[in-house]
Amino acid sequence: MIRTSHSLTLLLGLAAAVLPASLAARDAAPAGFYDGYTGFAMAAEPVLPAREVHPSLWFRSEDLPALKARLSADEFARSRWAAVLQMADLAKPDLPAPTAKDTTTVIHKYYGAMSIAARAHALVSLLVDDPSLQAAHRQRAVDLLLRAYDGPIFELDSSIKGSPVDEIYRGSWLQNYAHAYDCIQPSLAPDTDRSIRERLAREAQCVFDNLYKWTPESPHNHLSKPAWGLGSIALALSAHQHARDWLGRAIEAANKNTRYFFSGDGIYREGSHYLIFSLTNFVPFLYHYRNVSGVDGFTAFQPVFENMVEVRNSHGWLPNLEDSYIRPTPTHLVAAAYRGTKTKLHSTAPLSEILAWSYQTTDLAPFEQERSETGFNYTGASWDYPLEIDELLTHDGSLRATAPDCDPNIFLAGGQAVLRNAWSTGDAGQRYLLFHGVAVADNHNHDDQLSFILEAEGQLMCSDTGYSRGTYAGAERTEWYNTAAAHNTLTFDGQPAGKKPSNVRPRTTQHEEPGLVVVQKTQSGLPKSAVWQRTICWIAGDYYAVVDRVEAKQPVAIKAFLHGGRGSLSTDGTERTWSYSTDRYGPAARLRSWIAAPGATTVVKEGELTYIKGDYAAFPYLETGAASVSSPWVTLLKPAAVDETAPFTVHDQSTENQSAFLVTTASHRTLIAARTKSAPVVALDGVETDAALVVVRRDLTGKVLNRYVTDATYLRIDGQNVMLP
């Protein structure tokens, strides 16, 4: 699986995903480092309304009749309304306040449950028609708000790892209480109103005072989540003397996160899990800021929601790269906010319709199964975030669902390329490959530079191993899931590529034509001054060649890892095949593979893999290694339906310093050859060239369908000179 391409002197000049040597740790980041990425920010100046009005965070009083009418408009709304009523259970006794000596779980669940219950009862009090129920729910909400933040919360240190009152939870609790207060404030007696505001303001001031103390280094989600919560409570208490300061700091801190952890085209560098975990806070804040102050932050966040569509696979799942499990695309939460918004994803339809389509075509079955088995939803914030409330409030059943009509192949400036055959879902012939080359961030990062994942025939095939069997804690994460060996990537003298945080992505080029798509990424700054160039060729809309070239001034030991997902592995000569049974992730299918790696040895190993938290097991993968590389390595990947019988013949034409495959199918034959710069020219199957890499696909009559070369001065096919670009 290794490939070389340009001359060493040229490659050493290419942009590399490494930091200046002075950056040794997160707390040693040079000035301006966290502002130097391609991310985005909202306007820094805080905007408060001319006067405080309630309700206003999610809706106004005049919106209530329309909101009530939507509660039974369709099955989705009815199911969410039923879930909200279950949260607002009048028969459920109030929880006793914990003490500082109680367990972490008891304390954490208490504050989450109390804030969710307050929000649910307050909302239901406005939406039910029965006056007695209105009064009962309103009184329960008042009682809960008068107890807000009782117990030991102000005795405990949120900055301690594993704290039951971690700042990431406090952001959600603030937003729950903010909405609860917003719903019932007009009915409160002055003294009761004053008591509740004092409680909420105390927590707001605590978050304001400690926001940067709790998260003094990297502006990761532990900074942004409480910041978005602080922003929401500032909007709910907009008449408070400190509200402007709270909102200003909230925007400032959140902007630090979005500038560094998001790329300008919406990639979130902490992975899909923490994207959704953060979404539970930034989506409410975006609605609150727009509804209360008229500031539309959705414009700044538009690339984030477009990116969810761009990188979703055929099931509608976001990848489990970095510290992540697979995740759905909850784009329905913001679809209505983008009504009439033009998008690059469609020539005429607004973004709202694309976002509605993405959620409607998402397979939620694995996440519903996880919830039934564990009680946890897919947000990662099940104890703190009432998903169904936000779904109910943002649902608009009148939105059309429209699939994107742009090119299904996506090339993101942030460093990811997605090669897919179509936007529509379906199993037969379905293809999706994500090539990952994002600038390395400093939190929740895995050693996965220039890795790729493959979904085909509706099944997850070449896959990332995921987050871990549990969560962040656990040796299995640091000793396996984080490491390069757990990803479809390479190591160099045992070291991963692109280990240090950086604001520079690997250099990327791409070529696209019918029948052939090529993406090339280059990573430098490696041990022994090595430079690695990986090229992925998608051929005939069907199979893939992964070409790895490594150039170094001194010999460097290389290992390449190929994971085939949750399949059994069999070997037939030089062919290795993963076979997949029908499971919650897709139908039965196969992945055939061949590796041309002169001088290297390939062995079968086992490694743990997790797509959904708790659903972990060990599966076989391949490790190809050599003390030094004398030739590029080529890996051929052929997805297939379980009963596919179409001819697909592979002939390995490799020599000591040249790797080559000749592939023959029922309709064409393809030569894929890569050589070192010192090797003799390629002379195979009627093709002569001095190219570092050549791909020539012809039909069975010999007509050239596709041709591609890198670093070539000439190309002859069947004796005819071919003009090069």
Side-chain angles (χ1 to χ4, degrees):
M1 288 198 319
I2 288 197
R3 171 198 199 267
T4 12
S5 161
H6 294 197
S7 68
L8 179 61
T9 54
L10 174 60
L11 286 175
L12 287 175
L14 299 181
V18 291
L19 273 178
S22 60
L23 182 56
R26 291 191 309 191
D27 58 356
F33 174 71
Y34 289 120
D35 294 321
Y37 191 48
T38 63
F40 60 89
M42 296 175 60
E45 186 69 19
V47 178
L48 291 174
R51 65 185 184 89
E52 186 176 314
V53 175
H54 297 285
S56 61
L57 292 181
W58 288 98
F59 49 79
R60 299 272 176 145
S61 296
E62 57 268 28
D63 300 322
L64 283 171
L67 180 55
K68 287 183 178 182
R70 294 207 306 266
L71 299 181
S72 59
D74 54 43
E75 180 54 36
F76 184 89
R78 288 190 291 272
S79 67
R80 271 43 182 186
W81 176 230
V84 173
L85 288 173
Q86 188 172 5
M87 293 179 198
D89 185 357
L90 290 168
K92 188 174 183 179
D94 289 339
L95 295 170
T99 69
K101 295 182 179 180
D102 279 314
T103 66
T104 295
T105 297
V106 166
I107 298 171
H108 179 183
K109 291 180 74 172
Y110 171 77
Y111 287 112
M114 290 287 281
S115 68
I116 289 174
R119 184 182 180 193
H121 283 292
L123 178 60
V124 169
S125 74
L126 296 181
L127 297 181
V128 294
D129 293 322
D130 186 326
S132 62
L133 287 177
Q134 291 174 356
H137 285 291
R138 185 183 302 113
Q139 188 57 52
R140 179 62 69 87
V142 170
D143 294 343
L144 290 167
L145 281 163
L146 286 170
R147 290 183 55 191
Y149 301 109
D150 60 356
I153 187 169
F154 299 111
E155 303 172 43
L156 301 171
D157 186 352
S158 291
S159 65
I160 295 176
K161 186 177 181 180
S163 171
V165 294
D166 194 301
E167 61 271 6
I168 54 175
Y169 315 138
R170 296 176 87 139
S172 296
W173 304 339
L174 267 173
Q175 288 179 315
N176 289 334
Y177 280 129
H179 187 210
Y181 175 72
D182 186 50
C183 287
I184 66 165
Q185 192 278 337
S187 67
L188 296 176
D191 58 337
T192 304
D193 184 47
R194 186 165 46 254
S195 295
I196 292 173
R197 290 178 73 92
E198 287 175 355
R199 284 180 168 272
L200 301 184
R202 182 186 183 190
E203 171 64 358
Q205 191 63 38
C206 180
V207 173
F208 175 86
D209 291 339
N210 292 284
L211 194 56
Y212 293 122
K213 297 176 184 177
W214 289 334
T215 312
E217 301 169 355
S218 167
H220 50 67
N221 65 89
H222 284 255
L223 178 67
S224 57
K225 284 175 66 66
W228 286 310
L230 179 62
S232 290
I233 199 66
L235 294 167
L237 304 179
S238 63
H240 193 281
Q241 60 178 334
H242 297 313
R244 181 178 176 82
D245 293 336
W246 298 339
L247 181 58
R249 180 158 295 179
I251 296 171
E252 176 188 77
N255 281 344
K256 290 178 182 293
N257 173 267
T258 59
R259 285 193 184 101
Y260 178 73
F261 279 102
F262 286 94
S263 68
D265 46 12
I267 299 170
Y268 188 62
R269 295 196 285 173
E270 289 192 292
S272 304
H273 174 81
Y274 285 96
L275 170 62
I276 303 304
F277 192 45
S278 296
L279 174 146
T280 63
N281 294 105
F282 67 69
V283 164
F285 173 73
L286 291 176
Y287 277 109
H288 299 165
Y289 204 15
R290 186 194 67 175
N291 294 341
V292 173
S293 298
V295 177
D296 186 3
F298 287 99
T299 300
F301 276 79
Q302 180 172 336
V304 177
F305 302 114
E306 289 177 325
N307 180 258
M308 291 185 190
V309 179
E310 291 170 326
V311 303
R312 71 194 292 276
N313 69 9
S314 74
H315 292 272
W317 303 337
L318 299 173
N320 61 331
L321 298 169
E322 312 301 352
D323 269 348
S324 186
Y325 308 107
I326 60 170
R327 285 291 175 254
T329 53
T331 48
H332 62 311
L333 291 170
V334 296
Y338 290 100
R339 189 188 299 274
T341 301
K342 187 173 177 58
T343 176
K344 61 184 176 179
L345 299 175
H346 202 280
S347 56
T348 58
L351 180 55
S352 57
E353 296 183 11
I354 311 304
L355 299 179
W357 168 85
S358 187
Y359 181 74
Q360 286 187 23
T361 55
T362 293
D363 176 9
L364 295 170
F367 311 105
E368 293 303 321
Q369 180 177 339
E370 178 189 20
R371 184 166 189 164
S372 67
E373 293 172 349
T374 68
F376 297 129
N377 62 39
Y378 60 75
T379 67
S382 300
W383 291 347
D384 311 300
Y385 173 66
L387 172 62
E388 291 83 359
I389 293 182
D390 282 8
E391 288 182 315
L392 181 70
L393 294 172
T394 59
H395 176 58
D396 186 343
S398 69
L399 288 175
R400 293 179 54 189
T402 303
D405 69 356
C406 64
D407 188 338
N409 294 326
I410 299 293
F411 306 102
L412 295 170
Q416 290 179 341
V418 180
L419 310 180
R420 56 163 67 81
N421 63 322
W423 287 105
S424 59
T425 56
D427 297 340
Q430 178 270 327
R431 298 289 184 269
Y432 164 98
L433 182 141
L434 188 152
F435 191 4
H436 183 61
V438 175
V440 176
D442 69 351
N443 197 53
H444 293 296
N445 184 65
H446 285 204
D447 296 330
D448 60 358
Q449 275 295 77
L450 273 56
S451 65
F452 63 91
I453 58 175
L454 171 65
E455 180 216 13
E457 303 295 324
Q459 180 60 261
L460 305 184
M461 294 186 174
C462 294
S463 54
D464 192 288
T465 56
Y467 193 157
S468 74
R469 71 175 63 163
T471 54
Y472 191 81
E476 71 276 1
R477 176 180 168 275
T478 56
E479 296 175 7
W480 169 246
Y481 284 94
N482 293 41
T483 68
H487 305 84
N488 296 308
T489 187
L490 307 187
T491 58
F492 308 83
D493 284 345
Q495 298 301 308
K499 181 71 173 178
K500 294 182 179 179
S502 170
N503 288 334
V504 182
R505 65 173 175 83
R507 180 181 175 183
T508 302
T509 60
Q510 63 263 349
H511 169 85
E512 185 177 13
E513 62 182 79
L516 181 64
V517 182
V518 181
V519 183
Q520 178 180 280
K521 295 182 181 292
T522 303
Q523 179 80 54
S524 57
L526 305 174
K528 307 288 181 62
S529 300
V531 176
W532 169 31
Q533 194 170 77
R534 166 166 278 187
T535 305
I536 296 182
C537 307
W538 184 25
I539 302 167
D542 182 20
Y543 54 97
Y544 306 84
V546 181
V547 185
D548 290 299
R549 178 184 297 275
V550 176
E551 297 272 5
K553 293 181 179 179
Q554 305 172 47
V556 56
I558 303 296
K559 286 185 178 180
F561 308 97
L562 179 62
H563 294 264
R566 299 173 64 94
S568 60
L569 182 62
S570 61
T571 300
D572 182 5
T574 60
E575 177 181 343
R576 297 174 178 87
T577 300
W578 278 273
S579 297
Y580 311 92
S581 301
T582 299
D583 58 16
R584 72 168 89 176
Y585 307 108
R590 292 181 295 149
L591 175 65
R592 304 170 66 188
S593 70
W594 297 260
I595 298 175
T601 301
T602 298
V603 296
V604 178
K605 293 191 171 183
E606 275 201 344
E608 200 169 283
L609 177 154
T610 309
Y611 294 150
I612 294 284
K613 182 179 179 180
D615 185 20
Y616 60 89
F619 294 93
Y621 69 95
L622 301 178
E623 177 185 288
T624 300
S628 62
V629 176
S630 59
S631 174
W633 294 354
V634 180
T635 300
L636 195 66
L637 301 169
K638 171 60 174 84
V642 70
D643 57 352
E644 181 175 310
T645 58
F648 189 88
T649 304
V650 176
H651 295 285
D652 190 334
Q653 305 286 298
S654 302
T655 61
E656 180 182 356
N657 47 22
Q658 175 180 277
S659 295
F661 284 122
L662 183 61
V663 179
T664 304
T665 74
S667 61
H668 67 268
R669 73 179 190 273
T670 302
L671 173 69
I672 306 135
R675 67 182 189 91
T676 62
K677 59 184 179 182
S678 60
V681 298
V682 173
L684 290 169
D685 195 37
V687 175
E688 298 177 49
T689 183
D690 61 349
L693 168 65
V694 58
V695 179
V696 176
R697 185 170 76 99
R698 293 180 274 192
D699 67 17
L700 298 186
T701 70
K703 178 183 176 181
V704 175
L705 302 174
N706 301 106
R707 57 180 174 80
Y708 176 83
V709 294
T710 60
D711 301 329
T713 63
Y714 74 91
L715 171 65
R716 284 192 288 271
I717 301 177
D718 296 332
Q720 299 294 314
N721 287 322
V722 177
M723 184 176 295
L724 299 177

